[in-house]
Amino acid sequence: MGALSLFSKIASTYDLTNRILSFGMDLRWRKKLVLETKNYKPNAEKILDLACGTGDVIKITKDLFLEKVYYVGLDPCGEMLNIARNRLGKKVSLIRGLAENLPFKGETFDAIFISFGLRNFSDRKKALDEIHRILRPKGVVSVLEFTKPNGKYSLSKLGWLYTKYAVPALGGVISGNFEAYRYLSRSIENFPSADKVVEEFSNTGFKPLKVKSLSPSPSVLFIFEKKLRGSPKT
Ligand SMILES: C[S@@+](CC[C@H](N)C(=O)[O-])C[C@H]1O[C@@H](n2cnc3c(N)ncnc32)[C@H](O)[C@@H]1O
């Protein structure tokens, strides 16, 4: 079964499962993502939440940025988007689509969020090129993602073991779908280290502004700024 149909099967229990499995911390991580981005782009006018799922990040962004900001959420999963639509109302534009082929003109957005979406993209290189294309010059892309910690005995390592072994079992029980949560574990295992993520973004024309571990969780917050193509690598 493909990853997309797995997301459609767990959409109705997705938020509850996140809250329980992260002991409520997942909302704090998303809030951090938004606040740190606001430090770099306080006057953002257009923001895209890429792989928006049920719309948690847009909900938080709406509360923390000014009302006049134009928000767009994009996700390929109709079931996830239905939940986002009920929650966010008609003012937020929600679009069904893929990160690898974004339906926007070049230089449209000041900021793009990707919260736990990057590891699901089937062609990350293509998606990064698309993100670079639709960001305005000096626009930022802020990413939250689970990565395998380097340190042997770090708190993040404990969090990673919990995410790899306990989350698939508990997530399976809560959602009733063990396959989807086994996929989660595999996708984390297969995702590159934080250093490699920075390398991939740098090679696509982004400058890293912030890389921060959200220990004890194995998630990392990355913020990158779009460089103009042709400017020297950092
Ligand atoms: C783990 S959920 C994250 C949802 C949300 N951003 C959050 O913070 O809860 C991953 C999302 O990525 C979406 N997704 C999967 N493949 C994608 C792709 N190629 N392009 C865009 N989104 C994708 C899924 O439909 C799913 O909603």
Side-chain angles (χ1 to χ4, degrees):
M1 193 185 294
L4 286 186
S5 53
L6 290 179
F7 282 112
S8 66
K9 286 198 162 43
I10 59 167
S12 61
T13 52
Y14 178 75
D15 291 327
L16 176 70
T17 313
N18 278 347
R19 292 310 97 84
I20 295 175
L21 294 182
S22 73
F23 307 100
M25 284 191 294
D26 65 310
L27 283 182
R28 235 189 295 152
W29 305 331
R30 289 185 182 85
K31 194 165 172 186
K32 188 147 192 70
L33 169 88
V34 173
L35 283 175
E36 295 270 3
T37 306
K38 195 177 175 196
N39 284 339
Y40 290 105
K41 280 276 152 200
N43 300 319
E45 290 169 349
K46 284 191 172 184
I47 297 181
L48 171 67
D49 184 12
L50 184 53
C52 66
T54 59
D56 262 346
V57 170
I58 301 185
K59 169 90 184 56
I60 293 168
T61 312
K62 275 182 76 179
D63 295 343
L64 297 175
F65 271 83
L66 296 173
E67 265 303 312
K68 67 174 183 167
V69 175
Y70 176 64
Y71 305 98
V72 181
L74 180 137
D75 200 285
C77 176
E79 287 78 0
M80 289 281 198
L81 287 177
N82 286 343
I83 296 171
R85 198 157 278 126
N86 288 336
R87 165 190 266 176
L88 299 168
K90 290 197 176 118
K91 277 193 183 162
V92 174
S93 172
L94 293 170
I95 299 172
R96 198 164 178 180
L98 290 167
E100 293 84 355
N101 185 16
L102 292 169
F104 307 109
K105 284 194 198 139
E107 303 192 357
T108 298
F109 294 98
D110 300 295
I112 298 178
F113 294 120
I114 316 173
S115 162
F116 303 112
L118 190 62
R119 70 170 186 277
N120 301 296
F121 299 167
S122 54
D123 187 338
R124 205 162 50 241
K125 170 83 185 90
K126 211 167 170 188
L128 294 192
D129 278 336
E130 279 292 83
I131 291 163
H132 192 280
R133 180 183 67 77
I134 64 166
L135 267 179
R136 290 176 175 166
K138 297 224 160 216
V140 297
V141 49
S142 305
V143 179
L144 260 185
E145 196 49 273
F146 293 121
T147 62
K148 209 186 286 183
N150 293 330
K152 237 180 171 179
Y153 303 109
S154 63
L155 273 177
S156 299
K157 178 87 182 181
L158 272 182
W160 188 74
L161 291 172
Y162 169 77
T163 309
K164 186 164 156 20
Y165 295 108
V167 164
L170 297 172
V173 171
I174 299 167
S175 69
N177 191 317
F178 285 89
E179 195 185 348
Y181 282 86
R182 274 197 298 269
Y183 161 79
L184 172 87
S185 174
R186 274 199 311 276
S187 66
I188 296 172
E189 178 78 47
N190 294 334
F191 193 70
S193 66
D195 289 349
K196 182 83 175 70
V197 173
V198 171
E199 191 184 314
E200 287 183 7
F201 273 86
S202 300
N203 289 341
T204 314
F206 293 95
K207 170 174 138 190
L209 298 178
K210 180 159 230 146
V211 180
K212 192 177 169 55
S213 159
L214 301 183
S215 175
S217 147
S219 36
V220 175
L221 166 65
F222 303 88
I223 303 185
F224 300 98
E225 181 182 79
K226 172 176 172 168
K227 288 191 296 183
L228 295 179
R229 286 256 156 86
S231 31
K233 287 183 182 168
T234 43

